[in-house]
Amino acid sequence: MTAEEFRKHAHRLVDWMAGYMENIENYPVKSPVKPGEIFDKLPDNPPFHPESFDSLMKDLEEIIMPGITHWQSPNFFAYFPANTSPPSILAEMIIATLGAQCMIWETSPAATELEEKMMIWLRDLIGLPASFEGVIQDTASTATLAAILTAREKVTGFRVNEEGAQSAGNLRIYCTTQTHSSVEKAVKISGIGRKNIVRIPVKDDFSMDAGKLREAVEADIDNGFLPCCVIATLCTTGTTAVDPLKAIGEICAGNNIWLHVDAAMGGTALILPEFQWMLDGREYIDSFVFNPHKWMFTNFDCSAYFVREPDQLIKTFEVLPEYLKTRTRGKVNDYRDWGIPLGRRFRALKLWSVIRMYGVEGLQGKIRYHIKLAARFAEILSEESDFEILAPVVINVVCFRYKPEGIPENKLNGFNETLNHRLNDSGKIYLTHTVINGIYTLRMVAGQTNVRIGHVEKAWELIKITARSL
Ligand SMILES: Cc1ncc(COP(=O)(O)O)c(C=O)c1O
């Protein structure tokens, strides 16, 4: 493809992109295709002769688009958002064009230094102490794995890295029944073993009961276990519960336990002064992750990982083959040593673009608006006698169910599951669920970049009509 041909195709593609953004509400939010449907439409073998861009675009429309779930639709109320924004998409175009692989400072000094600056901007925006340093990871799962591996090395005097898992002793990891599954995965990978996860019970608001954490740690020490790491969450996946950092941190500090904070979703709310209460106890944190790729308008993937002592992180991951030795080593940050992969994308550019083009005030305005939308939805629900809110509304997520009179409790789960499927199959909105204390619970998440009050009100009308006609 010549530069001139590329220019022509790219212009056409930009028109396609803008058209997609304008028309996104015309697509069914959740893809209606059946398993295997897309696969079967694709040829069994790759083309031997080159094909045209036109034929690619035709197949994109006809084969691929029906199999897309439209995360960027303002009627997407499922999971947590993976929102994007025009500034972020523009930056992705630059990133793809430069194609820089930013594993060490020398392989693109601007990428490292922009990342350093963006991590300082973000750190200050969310109110972490100035002593923290940050690095971009692909996902919160990777950051949490990095945290658990670093905690493991710290508590074993960096022995496991050298001698293997058998030298670790009986390490223990503490989290709650509400903690994200990425912790379980990280513990499996780390060699600590899933049976060494201690699930601390939660209080009525689904946050960690710090008193029970203290009891568990003390019992473990008495029984010869080695407490290694506590994972506290700011805004859990199911109900957005906030674990009490101060009370947890005091226990960690008193027992030499690593405190990792998973704020994958909730971290974005910290840019609002009125949510700084969630960070009360910040002085105890060893590591902290939040995902601008969830709620901060930055294309997947971009996860911000902060550590109090980078030396421990680097010591956990560092290896130095001949081909990566540089004259600048030790004088600059070589981010390859700050995580698992060697190769790194130029993700800082997305953050730069998003933060600059929204401005702090713009970001705060949008986040506040989303929180208001959820509050409004909760208000509507609370006025209806046949709907029930099942968890405190902390940020932009409302957990609820339909509970009409006359339906026995043991039928309600099935009833609400059917409601969820009917809503999603309509293609008009997309909601996902959780189970709280055995109760099938619908979650309404108002976090999509372009969601407005009209979308929430229309979603409510659909939910109400569908539920009442079940
Ligand atoms: C609280 C929490 N932590 C971690 C994750 C995992 O995020 P990622 O997909 O970036 O690994 C999620 C995903 O929703 C989450 O809700």
Side-chain angles (χ1 to χ4, degrees), residues 55-282:
S55 69
L56 196 82
M57 288 303 285
K58 183 168 174 291
D59 287 352
L60 174 74
E61 289 292 2
E62 290 174 7
I63 302 176
I64 302 299
M65 290 308 282
I68 296 295
T69 288
H70 297 279
W71 284 71
Q72 306 313 319
S73 165
N75 299 310
F76 182 98
F77 301 105
Y79 302 103
F80 279 150
N83 63 24
T84 173
S85 63
S88 175
I89 296 168
L90 292 172
E92 283 281 19
M93 291 163 81
I94 302 170
I95 294 166
T97 305
L98 296 177
Q101 205 276 59
C102 312
M103 56 188 176
I104 52 180
W105 182 86
E106 289 204 5
T107 60
S108 272
T112 298
E113 296 187 14
L114 185 64
E115 184 161 337
E116 288 167 353
K117 190 61 84 171
M118 288 308 98
M119 291 299 98
I120 292 171
W121 282 11
L122 276 186
R123 178 196 69 199
D124 295 348
L125 262 179
I126 63 174
L128 279 177
S131 53
F132 275 70
E133 291 186 42
V135 54
I136 301 178
Q137 305 277 354
D138 53 4
T139 60
S141 302
T142 305
T144 293
L145 174 59
I148 288 176
L149 294 176
T150 312
R152 182 195 73 187
E153 289 312 299
K154 188 184 172 211
V155 80
T156 62
F158 291 84
R159 215 171 45 237
V160 179
N161 267 358
E162 294 305 319
E163 294 170 20
Q166 74 285 354
S167 66
N170 292 328
L171 304 186
R172 293 290 234 195
I173 305 290
Y174 305 87
C175 59
T176 75
T177 51
Q178 304 296 309
T179 303
H180 189 262
S181 57
S182 52
V183 169
E184 186 178 331
K185 197 185 257 186
V187 172
K188 282 169 68 175
I189 298 170
S190 71
I192 293 172
R194 193 157 47 179
K195 76 171 199 303
N196 289 309
I197 297 179
V198 183
R199 298 274 178 190
I200 306 301
V202 293
K203 296 185 164 173
D204 288 348
D205 65 356
F206 307 102
S207 69
M208 187 185 286
D209 184 334
K212 296 269 192 267
L213 172 67
R214 186 180 291 283
E215 285 169 24
V217 168
E218 287 172 357
D220 275 354
I221 293 171
D222 287 348
N223 291 315
F225 291 103
L226 191 53
C228 172
C229 181
V230 174
I231 290 94
T233 308
L234 304 186
C235 300
T236 56
T237 313
T239 68
T240 66
V242 177
D243 291 335
L245 288 191
K246 202 175 188 68
I248 294 169
E250 282 165 1
I251 298 164
C252 291
N255 293 280
N256 196 26
I257 306 174
W258 186 279
L259 174 55
H260 175 60
V261 176
D262 176 358
M265 177 70 180
T268 299
L270 292 172
I271 70 175
L272 301 177
E274 61 270 30
F275 280 88
Q276 275 292 307
W277 59 267
M278 296 198 290
L279 264 189
D280 189 24
R282 71 198 78 199

Side-chain angles (χ1 to χ4, degrees), residues 415-435:
F415 219 68
N416 279 278
E417 190 172 351
T418 306
L419 170 61
N420 196 8
H421 294 321
R422 290 251 175 105
L423 291 169
N424 295 342
D425 290 347
S426 77
K428 291 183 181 149
I429 62 170
Y430 186 16
L431 296 176
T432 46
H433 80 284
T434 187
V435 172

Side-chain angles (χ1 to χ4, degrees), residues 27-44:
Y27 292 93
V29 191
K30 181 173 183 284
S31 169
V33 301
K34 304 274 175 303
E37 210 175 308
I38 307 292
F39 184 87
D40 290 343
K41 286 187 183 151
L42 296 165
D44 291 337

